[in-house]
Amino acid sequence: MKLVDFTEDEHLKTLNHSCAHVMAQAVKHLYPQAKFWVGPVVQEGFYYDIDLGDYSLKDDDLPKIEKEMKKICKDGKRIVRHEISKEEALEQFKDDPYKLDLINRFPDGTQISMYTQGDYTDLCRGPHVETVKQCRNFKLMKHSGAYWKGDKNNKMLQRIYGVCFDTKEDLAEYLEALEEAKKRDHKKLGREMGLFTITEYAAGMPIFLPNGMILRNILEQYWLQEHTKAGYNMIKTPIIMSRELWETSGHWEHYKENMYTTKVDGRDYAIKPMNCPGALLVYNSSLHSYKDLPYRLAEMGQVHRHEASGALNGLFRVRTFTQDDAHIFITEDQLADEVKRIISLIDRMYSVFGLSYKIELSTRPEKGYMGEIEMWDQSEKALADACKAAGKDFDINPGDGAFYGPKLDFHIQDSLGRVWQCGTIQLDINLPARFGCTYVDKDGQKKMPLMLHRVVYGSIERFIGILIEHFGGHFPLWLAPHQIVVIPVHQEKHLAYAQKVKETLEASGLRVDLDDRNEKLGYRVREAQMQKVPYQIVVGDGEEENGTVTIRRSGSRQSETLKLDDAARRFVNEVDTKALFEINE
C-alpha cells in the first residue's frame, strides 16, 4: 500500500483537475447559487473553494454530491477547450466576483481559455482528460472552511476535497493506504505509546515523555557517534542573542516576523530561529589557516520560530525544535569532496532507518535574496557540479533556495510512499562575508572561506514524527523505548525465573520490563502487542526446566523457543547491527 503525491504524476494531475470540474458541475446542479473560486490539484488530490451563500455543507451532503457526479460521469460528455477574449469573459462572468477577480489579472487583449462539459463552463488553463467518463473512479474525502485567497479578512468559502484514479482498484488501494496512514498517525501513536504530549500552555512546543526521551536520546547518541567518526567538532551556542547579531546575519531584515524578541538591559534580543550565526561566532573566535579546513562544527541546537496556530501539527509543525545543524568552512577546491562526504554520511544514516531519498537543487528566490545574481549563478553551478561529482542525480526546484544561498534538499520516502524534506546542504558565501570570516592561505594571504549549512534529521522532533509513522510505532529493536517484556505464565510460580531472564538480558545492555500483574496470560501478551514492544518473552514450566525462553515478535503470531544465552546474543546482535524487520499485523 502506497500513498501518492498527485502533483508529481502528470496524468493523475490532469485526471484529478478534470474531476474537480465534475464536482463543481455537480455542486452547481444541487446548489444553483454556488460560485467557484479555484480548484487546484494538491499533494493529496484536488479541492474546490466554493461560495454557497448562506448554506453550510454538512457531512451527509458529500454522498449527495457524489451521486450527482456519478450521473455526470455516466452521461459521458466530452470536455471541450475554447478561447474567448478578456472582454467576452468579463461579460460572461459579470455576476461572479470570484471569476472577475481572476479575469482581471490578465492583460488586456489576452485570449482566455475555457473548458466546457455539458451545461458547465469554467475558466481554466488545462489540460483536461477527453471525457467526464474518465473521472468516474473518485471519492470525496472531506470538507472544510477556507478564506478567499487565504486572507482571514475575506469571506469564508467552503472547500471540498477529493481524489480520482483511473481504476476502481487503484482507488481502493489508495483508500486502504489512507486508512493505514490513520492508524500510523504520530499524534495518536505518540499518545498511546507515551512518547510525547502537547499542552495548551505551550502551543506548538512538544513535551517529551519518558518513553519519548529514550527514543530521542538514542537518535541523538547515534547522530553524535556518526559525526564524531566523520570529523565534526561539537559546539553549543546561546539560545538568545542580541539584535545586532541578527542584523549582521540578515535575519532581522528577512525573518523578523517569525522571531520571538525581547529586551534585556534596554537592548533588543531575539531567541534564535537558526543556529548559523552562533557557528560563525565560534569560527571567528580563533584564527584559521588553510590547513584547518574543512573546519566542521556540529550542534544539536534548539530554535524557536513563530508559526500560525492553524498550521501547528503534532511534531510535524511546531514552534520550537532542535536542528542537527552543522556548519562547514571550506575552500572552493574542497567543495566537491566535502559534498560527497556529506552525501555519504546522509546515505549511511538514512539507510539505517530504511529510508530512500531523492535530491533537489533549489535555486535563487525571485525576491528577498541576498547578494548579486552573478554570485548566485556561480554558487548554483558549483553545488550542481559537486552533486554530479558525488555521482548523484538531482531535480531542479526553481526559486526555492534560502535567502542567503542555493541548496541541495534531500526528500526521503517513508514506508507509505510519502515524501518528506529532511536533509539539506546549503552553500553560503553571504554570511561568511557579512561576518568577516577569513583564513590564511598557503601564500600567507587572508581569504574568505565558503560555508556549508547542513542537516541530516532536519528537525529531530519532526524526524521522530516521521519515524513513528514510517514504522507504525513498531520501532526496530535498537530504537524501541521498551525492547523486551518478560511475561511469566503464572505470576507466582514462574516469577523467580522471569526475574532471572530479565536480569540476564539487562546485563547485556537491553531494556527489559517484567509484566507480573495478576492478569490472564493472553491479556498481558495482547497488551504488549498493542504497546508494540518488539519482543515478548513468555516463560513457564518448560522454559524454567530447560533454561529457555519462548519469544514472540511484535506484529507476528509465530513464536520460537531458544536457550536464554542464545536469545540474549541474538538481541544484542540485532541492536548492534541496527537491523530492520517487517511487520505484518
Side-chain angles (χ1 to χ4, degrees), residues 1-199:
M1 293 180 293
K2 294 287 184 183
L3 293 172
V4 298
D5 182 343
F6 289 85
T7 63
E8 289 190 344
D9 184 308
E10 286 302 319
H11 172 67
L12 275 182
K13 192 173 178 180
T14 300
L15 181 64
N16 275 262
H17 187 55
S18 302
C19 194
H21 279 230
V22 172
M23 183 183 76
Q25 184 179 7
V27 169
K28 192 70 174 174
H29 287 176
L30 297 172
Y31 311 95
Q33 78 277 19
K35 291 182 172 63
F36 302 92
W37 171 228
V38 291
V41 175
V42 290
Q43 285 186 340
E44 61 270 26
F46 66 84
Y47 70 77
Y48 227 121
D49 284 346
I50 310 168
D51 183 350
L52 291 172
D54 296 329
Y55 186 76
S56 295
L57 285 170
K58 302 178 288 295
D59 289 346
D60 58 8
D61 287 323
L62 295 190
K64 298 175 186 175
I65 298 171
E66 287 182 330
K67 184 177 180 180
E68 185 65 22
M69 290 174 67
K70 289 176 182 176
K71 287 169 59 178
I72 292 168
C73 292
K74 187 175 182 180
D75 192 38
K77 289 287 192 295
R78 291 184 61 80
I79 303 174
V80 181
R81 182 183 189 275
H82 57 282
E83 292 184 352
I84 60 176
S85 69
K86 179 179 176 180
E87 291 71 22
E88 291 172 318
L90 288 171
E91 175 62 26
Q92 183 170 337
F93 291 97
K94 62 184 178 182
D95 297 324
D96 190 328
Y98 304 106
K99 298 305 179 188
L100 290 177
D101 181 84
L102 292 172
I103 295 165
N104 280 318
R105 298 183 188 189
F106 291 96
D108 291 341
T110 301
Q111 289 293 109
I112 298 174
S113 62
M114 318 275 283
Y115 281 84
T116 297
Q117 54 202 49
D119 59 2
Y120 180 76
T121 297
D122 203 353
L123 304 171
C124 191
R125 286 194 302 265
H128 283 265
V129 296
E130 291 186 4
T131 76
V132 294
K133 187 175 290 186
Q134 292 171 258
C135 302
R136 63 186 179 275
N137 300 302
F138 63 84
K139 176 70 178 174
L140 298 187
M141 306 303 297
K142 61 181 180 178
H143 65 94
S144 66
Y147 291 110
W148 183 36
K149 299 183 181 180
D151 186 341
K152 64 181 180 181
N153 296 313
N154 288 338
K155 182 173 183 177
M156 175 73 77
L157 304 181
Q158 299 186 66
R159 178 174 292 180
I160 305 177
Y161 290 88
V163 295
C164 186
F165 287 88
D166 287 309
T167 67
K168 290 181 180 179
E169 292 75 18
D170 287 346
L171 176 62
E173 285 182 12
Y174 179 79
L175 296 177
E176 187 178 357
L178 277 182
E179 286 302 311
E180 179 64 22
K182 288 180 184 177
K183 294 178 189 175
R184 293 170 179 243
D185 184 283
H186 77 285
K187 298 184 291 296
K188 170 179 174 289
L189 292 179
R191 181 177 61 252
E192 293 173 354
M193 299 176 70
L195 300 175
F196 70 94
T197 187
I198 296 177
T199 170

Side-chain angles (χ1 to χ4, degrees), residues 221-336:
Q221 289 162 9
Y222 173 58
W223 179 90
L224 178 61
Q225 291 166 1
E226 290 297 322
H227 283 72
T228 300
K229 288 189 293 187
Y232 287 79
N233 302 287
M234 305 302 155
I235 61 171
K236 189 72 175 174
T237 61
I239 202 167
I240 178 171
M241 291 180 276
S242 73
R243 171 177 177 168
E244 292 81 6
L245 176 77
W246 303 109
E247 287 177 334
T248 300
S249 69
H251 289 92
W252 196 268
E253 176 185 358
H254 294 275
Y255 206 73
K256 184 175 182 294
E257 68 277 6
N258 296 101
M259 296 166 66
Y260 295 103
T261 60
T262 187
K263 281 189 179 291
V264 180
D265 297 333
R267 293 175 65 192
D268 289 326
Y269 278 74
I271 300 175
K272 64 179 179 180
M274 299 177 187
N275 297 303
C276 32
L280 287 152
L281 294 180
V282 172
Y283 181 85
N284 282 346
S285 67
S286 60
L287 298 175
H288 301 278
S289 85
Y290 70 97
K291 294 181 180 179
D292 300 325
L293 307 184
Y295 187 61
R296 305 180 185 95
L297 300 175
E299 175 181 17
M300 278 284 183
Q302 185 178 10
V303 299
H304 290 72
R305 301 178 185 175
H306 180 68
E307 298 281 357
S309 59
L312 301 177
N313 179 16
L315 298 179
F316 290 158
R317 184 64 69 89
V318 294
R319 287 176 171 166
T320 182
F321 54 94
T322 301
Q323 284 189 307
D324 64 318
D325 260 325
H327 297 88
I328 306 164
F329 298 86
I330 57 173
T331 64
E332 288 186 24
D333 60 356
Q334 291 172 335
L335 176 60

